[in-house]
Amino acid sequence: MQLKPNAYRLNETVKGIETMTRFALAVLALASGVYTYLGVRGLLDGSANFVFFAAIIYSAAVSVAIYAFWSFMLRFVPLVTLGVQRIALFLTMAIGCVMIIAMSSWLNAAALAGSAALEQHMAVTLQGYAEDLDNAHANALASQSLLPDVQRAAERFAGLAADERENGALTGTQGSGSVVQLLTQMSAQMSQLGASISASRDEVAGLFEEGSTRLANMRELVSTPGAIEPRSDSFQSEAVQLSAVIAALQQTDIAASVKRAAADLSAGFIAPVANGQSADLANRQDQVMETVRVSVAAQSAALSAAADEILATPSVEQRRFVPLSSAEAVLAYWSDFIPSWAGAISIDLLPVVLVLVLMIVNDAMRKDSESLAEAETITAAEMLRAMALFRQMETAGIDVATGQPKPIAEPIPTQEEPAPEVAEAPADEGTVTPIDAAQRKRTDGPRPA
């Protein structure tokens, strides 16, 4: 059994936690100010004293603004009952929450996850540089695939020259003549082209090894614990060197050189004059040299097509590492740090829950006190005066409920009792005066004899 109404108990409870509510609101505002200071300090440039005082002033203003705003909401929202006014306050509270997130929450997130966000930025950039190095190396190695074709062509021309010299396989007459000279010339050109391709292979391998070393240094900078600022500076320096290596790899691509050399084979083909001693031998030499020219043109076309296919591969775009501040990194990679964002926003917007709790409690108190609104505030003196007035009204015959006099009830008639017989007195006692019966009716009963 409750000795006091529920509305009274709720009111006393709200008064009891008022101090704790103010203390909790002050702690939340102070915590938000501290993290705001840590976040805004990384955005300011200038001397150390300027950065310190500017960050302190901004964080103090944020703390005061948060405390004042939620104090207003805690005071006014629970007291407003009309729907339109309550909706207006909710709209005001929503605008205030957006402003708090804009001026504080994202800086809190930067303080909570700024270093991790910068490491994430470096890791993403490192992955991009690794892909660029692999693509540049693959493009450079693609030109090396032309080397076997060039070597086979050089060996074929050299073999034909040897057969013609020793056996006369082409003209039917052995010995060194115009055909042998032409075949030897083509073999020498192909061998020179193959040597150029082979030389570029060593250069490509050296550049790829240097790029791999740069990547290893960058991975170490990403994973090494410690302050993020010096690591970011070293990472940027390594990124610049790696970009130079990737550019050098693209310049070592021999495909364009192979295409030009292949075109020179066909366009710059110069057949020697047939030097046969007889007209028949000279005619046969001319026929063989024409065949060699056709073969060289076919080989040139094949090499040019292969080089064009390699050159059609998209080149690697030059990548540049863009350094970010901790706040910018948190905004850029916000989806990877949702827990940090949730914690930063909760520090600023947790009082929303307190406002809603107080609003619900005040609504409950108003509902419970509607039936006994006057009884909640009446004093003992007023109660005594009311009781005395009630007794006076009862005595005066006034109906308390209506305030009108009570109707007078008509007497119910009763049957008169027969008069009792009076015994005659003895004669010797004298004359006795008779008693009127009506007088007897006014008494409660007959008098004793």
Side-chain angles (χ1 to χ4, degrees):
M1 178 179 179
Q2 294 184 355
L3 299 179
K4 295 181 180 180
N6 190 47
Y8 178 80
R9 292 160 60 89
L10 289 175
N11 186 44
E12 291 297 319
T13 304
V14 170
K15 290 181 180 179
I17 65 173
E18 185 175 357
T19 302
M20 186 189 68
T21 303
R22 292 181 179 179
F23 177 74
L25 184 58
V27 171
L28 290 174
L30 179 61
S32 180
V34 170
Y35 283 101
T36 301
Y37 166 78
L38 295 176
V40 75
R41 188 177 59 179
L43 299 177
L44 299 177
D45 295 327
S47 63
N49 291 333
F50 170 77
V51 172
F52 173 76
F53 285 109
I56 283 290
I57 292 173
Y58 184 84
S59 60
V62 168
S63 297
V64 172
I66 291 176
Y67 184 83
F69 174 75
W70 290 120
S71 296
F72 276 68
M73 293 296 103
L74 287 170
R75 290 286 186 178
F76 293 132
V77 172
L79 300 180
V80 175
T81 58
L82 294 180
V84 176
Q85 296 175 353
R86 180 165 285 183
I87 291 175
L89 277 178
F90 282 158
L91 181 60
T92 303
M93 185 165 62
I95 295 174
C97 291
V98 173
M99 296 177 67
I100 289 174
I101 293 175
M103 71 179 180
S104 175
S105 297
W106 72 288
L107 293 173
N108 296 346
L112 290 172
S115 298
L118 287 177
E119 289 182 353
Q120 179 75 6
H121 177 54
M122 291 192 298
V124 171
T125 305
L126 175 62
Q127 183 179 359
Y129 274 114
E131 293 176 357
D132 291 346
L133 180 63
D134 290 338
N135 292 334
H137 184 237
N139 292 342
L141 290 180
S143 300
Q144 305 296 324
S145 63
L146 300 175
L147 180 60
D149 295 336
V150 173
Q151 289 177 340
R152 282 195 300 270
E155 291 174 357
R156 184 162 63 88
F157 285 129
L160 290 174
D163 289 342
E164 174 66 15
R165 183 185 304 109
E166 295 175 0
N167 304 320
L170 298 177
T171 61
T173 303
Q174 64 180 3
S176 298
S178 300
V179 174
V180 173
Q181 181 182 357
L182 178 60
L183 292 174
T184 303
Q185 177 187 350
M186 292 296 101
S187 176
Q189 291 182 2
M190 288 294 181
S191 298
Q192 291 177 359
L193 183 58
S196 300
I197 297 174
S198 298
S200 67
R201 175 182 296 177
D202 297 334
E203 186 179 0
V204 168
L207 290 173
F208 182 73
E209 183 178 357
E210 182 182 355
S212 299
T213 303
R214 299 291 181 186
L215 282 177
N217 295 337
M218 294 167 70
R219 289 191 183 95
E220 185 178 357
L221 290 172
V222 171
S223 60
T224 301
I228 191 63
E229 287 80 6
R231 286 191 289 148
S232 179
D233 294 339
S234 300
F235 185 89
Q236 184 176 2
S237 177
E238 292 289 340
V240 172
Q241 298 297 327
L242 182 58
S243 297
V245 171
I246 294 173
L249 269 175
Q250 294 191 97
Q251 292 175 0
T252 58
D253 190 0
I254 200 67
S257 178
V258 171
K259 181 179 180 179
R260 290 192 297 269
D264 290 341
L265 287 176
S266 177
F269 180 81
I270 302 175
V273 178
N275 58 0
Q277 296 177 357
S278 64
D280 181 59
L281 178 59
N283 186 32
R284 281 180 284 153
Q285 288 178 341
D286 289 336
Q287 292 178 356
V288 171
M289 286 188 288
E290 179 62 22
T291 304
V292 172
R293 187 189 66 77
V294 173
S295 176
V296 169
Q299 187 69 45
S300 174
L303 288 176
S304 298
D308 287 335
E309 189 175 335
I310 294 173
L311 292 174
T313 304
S315 61
V316 178
E317 296 293 335
Q318 191 72 18
R319 188 181 299 270
R320 187 171 63 91
F321 174 68
V322 180
L324 300 177
S325 64
S326 58
E328 293 172 337
V330 168
L331 292 176
Y333 302 97
W334 66 270
S335 58
D336 297 327
F337 301 97
I338 292 179
S340 299
W341 274 96
I345 295 175
S346 297
I347 292 177
D348 293 334
L349 303 187
L350 181 60
V352 172
V353 180
L354 303 181
V355 172
L356 296 178
V357 168
L358 288 178
M359 183 186 70
I360 295 172
V361 170
N362 277 267
D363 289 343
M365 285 191 296
R366 282 189 289 267
K367 183 177 180 181
D368 291 340
S369 61
E370 283 179 355
S371 58
L372 296 174
E374 294 81 4
E376 294 292 339
T377 58
I378 194 170
T379 63
E382 291 173 343
M383 178 63 74
L384 292 176
R385 286 196 294 269
M387 293 177 63
L389 180 61
F390 177 80
R391 285 193 294 269
Q392 292 176 10
M393 293 175 68
E394 286 287 336
T395 303
I398 298 175
D399 188 0
V400 178
T402 62
Q404 301 295 329
K406 293 181 179 179
I408 300 176
E410 296 181 0
I412 301 175
T414 58
Q415 186 177 0
E416 294 183 356
E417 298 178 358
E421 297 181 357
V422 180
E424 295 183 357
D428 58 352
E429 290 182 357
T431 303
V432 178
T433 304
I435 301 174
D436 191 4
Q439 292 179 355
R440 263 192 243 134
K441 287 194 298 184
R442 292 195 297 265
T443 62
D444 296 333
R447 293 182 180 178

